[in-house]
Amino acid sequence: MADPISQASTSLLTEHLRYHPLSLIDDIINSVNSLVYRAVSAVEAGLLSTPPAHLGFAKKAAVEKVKPPKDENGKPMFPEAKLEIENGVHQLETLLEATVDKDFDKLELYVLRNVLHIPSDLAPWVRLKHYENLDFTPSDDTPTPSTIQTLHSTLRETEKLQSALTHESARNKALLSHLRALLSPQPTSTSTPSPDDTSLSLSFLSASPLPAGASAPTPLTTAATFLTSQLPALRSLLTTLRPKISSVALPVVVSGVDEAGDREARNLYVETQTRRHLVRARGVEFTNEGEVRDGGWVGGGRGVEGVEVKALEEIVSGFEGAKRGRGGRDAMEEE
């Protein structure tokens, strides 16, 4: 039994013959069909050119005792002859097409299974001429599925980064154009600016008070140059201070060693800040021992403004001056 038609055999034959095996069968069948059509056309032309009387139509009319009409020359006419010829030619063509299709389908199966066919167990051992001296051994740098996946991931991340950088570049360009517009000098206008005008101009930062034509550095350039010149001095000063900072650095307290001292220091700090707040906000007075003066609590009330305190001081001063004047008059009367 012949081997079934395999894809490997078909591919190998196509590569060797430079055309598909089935296309050869199709060309043969198309050529035979073309010959059939030409033969049918020749038969139809021959029958139509033959007089109907020679084809047996006169005998048929005599048997049927039908008198055919005659033409101008007196020859009998058979109008049904053309119709019968066309019908017979069509039946002949159909018969030939069916015969060709049936027989050449058998030819196609025979050729593909027995002629244009390579057994499946032989196909892996066939080497075509243009395959000679070819080395199919994979090299060391042959990509593997994992490396290809890694390259795909790298490509996706690179595209994301490129998109982000593109948006950032566009944003920076817009910002730079806006800043350049702010630094560009505005045209002088004699009209009074409107209070609703929110346009901002920073051209004074780069403007120079010198007259036109005078060469002088701009304020920003001068400031940048000065700061750049001071950097070495600041660096040397920082180098000098680093050893001193390390020598006077506060000792690091280990957690859990001096917790009682830290707690007392925090309590003292909280108490001091509380007293300071009470003195400033509530007007409470404390003694040197930390107790409220007069033993009472001064509750919160209306805040006393500085003007009221000054007026009270003036009133007290007036009372003291009047008391001193009265005492002087009494002494003069006693004398």
Side-chain angles (χ1 to χ4, degrees):
M1 180 178 180
D3 295 335
I5 301 174
S6 62
Q7 183 67 26
S9 175
T10 304
S11 301
L12 192 61
L13 287 173
T14 302
E15 188 174 359
H16 175 64
L17 299 175
R18 305 298 176 86
Y19 57 83
H20 199 279
L22 189 60
S23 63
L24 175 63
I25 308 301
D26 293 338
D27 291 341
I28 295 175
I29 295 176
N30 292 335
S31 300
V32 172
N33 287 329
S34 177
L35 294 176
V36 168
Y37 296 147
R38 290 171 58 185
V40 170
S41 298
V43 169
E44 183 180 6
L47 292 176
L48 291 176
S49 62
T50 303
H54 295 172
L55 297 177
F57 287 96
K59 295 182 179 180
K60 179 181 178 182
V63 172
E64 295 177 355
K65 298 180 180 180
V66 177
K67 186 176 182 181
K70 296 183 179 180
D71 57 1
E72 298 177 355
N73 298 326
K75 295 181 179 180
M77 297 176 57
F78 301 94
E80 69 278 4
K82 183 176 181 181
L83 181 61
E84 290 189 8
I85 291 174
E86 291 179 351
N87 189 17
V89 169
H90 177 68
Q91 292 179 0
L92 175 64
E93 181 180 3
T94 304
L95 178 61
L96 291 177
E97 287 179 353
T99 304
V100 167
D101 291 340
K102 179 180 178 181
D103 294 339
F104 278 88
D105 284 344
K106 298 178 181 179
L107 175 66
E108 177 181 354
L109 293 176
Y110 177 80
V111 170
L112 292 179
R113 290 183 177 181
N114 299 278
V115 180
L116 300 177
H117 174 69
I118 298 177
S120 58
D121 56 345
L122 183 62
W125 300 96
V126 176
R127 184 177 64 180
L128 300 180
K129 185 176 181 180
H130 56 276
Y131 283 163
E132 295 180 356
N133 301 324
L134 292 180
D135 186 12
F136 295 97
T137 304
S139 59
D140 297 336
D141 56 349
T142 302
T144 60
S146 60
T147 57
I148 294 176
Q149 184 67 25
T150 304
L151 291 176
H152 285 172
S153 302
T154 305
L155 178 61
R156 287 194 297 269
E157 296 300 327
T158 303
E159 290 177 350
K160 291 180 182 178
L161 179 60
Q162 182 182 5
S163 178
L165 291 177
T166 302
H167 291 303
E168 185 68 18
S169 176
R171 191 176 67 86
N172 291 338
K173 287 181 180 179
L175 181 60
L176 286 176
S177 61
H178 180 64
L179 291 177
R180 290 192 184 99
L182 292 178
L183 291 175
S184 60
Q186 300 293 332
T188 57
S189 177
T190 56
S191 59
T192 305
S194 173
D196 298 334
D197 188 7
T198 59
S199 60
L200 178 63
S201 176
L202 302 178
S203 59
F204 65 90
L205 294 176
S206 58
S208 176
L210 298 177
S215 60
T218 59
L220 288 178
T221 307
T222 305
T225 305
F226 175 74
L227 292 176
T228 306
S229 64
Q230 295 299 316
L231 286 178
L234 292 175
R235 190 178 294 109
S236 61
L237 181 60
L238 180 60
T239 305
T240 306
L241 289 177
R242 278 178 179 172
K244 298 181 180 181
I245 293 174
S246 60
S247 62
V248 300
L250 296 176
V252 180
V253 180
V254 182
S255 176
V257 176
D258 197 7
E259 294 182 356
D262 293 344
R263 189 179 298 108
E264 292 179 1
R266 287 196 296 270
N267 294 337
L268 180 60
Y269 174 77
V270 172
E271 185 177 356
T272 303
Q273 295 299 324
T274 304
R275 289 178 184 176
R276 184 176 299 176
H277 174 71
L278 292 174
V279 171
R280 291 181 178 177
R282 301 296 184 178
V284 180
E285 296 183 3
F286 294 91
T287 61
N288 295 332
E289 289 77 11
E291 298 179 356
V292 180
R293 190 179 298 279
D294 299 333
W297 166 260
V298 181
R302 185 180 66 84
V304 181
E305 299 182 356
V307 179
E308 297 177 353
V309 174
K310 187 175 181 181
L312 291 175
E313 291 177 352
E314 292 178 355
I315 293 172
V316 173
S317 301
F319 281 127
E320 291 180 353
K323 185 183 295 184
R324 286 195 298 269
R326 188 180 300 110
R329 288 195 299 272
D330 293 340
M332 289 177 61
E333 290 176 359
E334 291 177 358
E335 292 177 356

